[in-house]
């Protein structure tokens, strides 16, 4: 059983406001939902973790990610533009297994299992 069998789509915002779409095969996607009681109410928060193994590191560049970069589960063919119905938020509503990238951990300097781990909400 292989660990890295998932496909994700990265949308990275460029300086000119356009987005670059990259589809990466051979990653590990993990969904978690954290539940907690806050002031007597049940609060649920989703978190996504994506691990990019060494074989996929040449396909991506996460060294300069912004607060508008996103990751989607699966192969997403949609485009992101500034017009209504084609914004990042619209695409995220269409694909609920998605999130905004919040942190990137570069473990590519390790001797074994070189990888980059992305956490999104």
């Amino acid at each position: 059983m292989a660990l890295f069998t998932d496909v994700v789509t990265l949308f990275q915002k460029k300086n000119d406001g356009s987005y670059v779409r990259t589809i990466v095969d051979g990653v590990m996607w993990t969904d978690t939902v954290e539940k907690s009681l806050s002031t007597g109410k049940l609060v649920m928060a989703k978190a996504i973790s994506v691990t990019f193994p060494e074989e996929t590191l040449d396909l991506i560049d996460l060294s300069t990610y912004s607060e508008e970069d996103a990751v989607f589960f699966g192969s997403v063919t949609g485009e992101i533009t500034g017009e209504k119905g084609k914004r990042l938020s619209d695409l995220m509503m269409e694909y609920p297994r998605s999130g905004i990238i919040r942190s990137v951990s570069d473990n590519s300097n390790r001797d074994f299992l070189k990888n980059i781990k992305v956490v999104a909400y």
Side-chain angles (χ1 to χ4, degrees):
M1 181 170 86
L3 293 175
F4 302 101
T5 59
D6 298 321
V7 176
V8 298
T9 303
L10 287 171
F11 282 95
Q12 295 177 285
K13 190 170 186 178
K14 294 174 27 178
N15 290 336
D16 64 2
S18 65
Y19 282 85
V20 174
R21 179 183 65 221
T22 307
I23 298 173
V24 184
D25 190 6
V27 302
M28 184 170 62
W29 174 284
T30 306
D31 287 307
T32 57
V33 176
E34 297 179 12
K35 298 177 184 177
S36 64
L37 285 173
S38 176
T39 64
K41 294 183 181 180
L42 181 63
V43 177
M44 295 175 41
K46 76 172 186 172
I48 299 163
S49 173
V50 182
T51 304
F52 295 87
E54 183 177 14
E55 298 79 31
T56 63
L57 297 183
D58 58 341
L59 301 174
I60 59 173
D61 179 20
L62 294 169
S63 59
T64 58
Y65 73 96
S66 75
E67 67 272 358
E68 296 182 62
D69 291 351
V71 61
F72 293 79
F73 183 76
S75 180
V76 175
T77 58
E79 295 291 331
I80 298 175
T81 64
E83 45 188 91
K84 187 175 181 179
K86 292 189 175 188
R87 295 179 295 227
L88 178 60
S89 58
D90 298 323
L91 199 59
M92 291 180 74
M93 289 181 69
E94 185 178 342
Y95 295 92
R97 292 184 79 185
S98 62
I100 301 294
I101 296 175
R102 297 297 181 203
S103 69
V104 175
S105 300
D106 186 351
N107 302 309
S108 60
N109 62 336
R110 302 284 181 237
D111 290 334
F112 300 103
L113 194 57
K114 298 174 189 284
N115 68 77
I116 291 179
K117 183 177 179 181
V118 171
V119 176
Y121 302 113

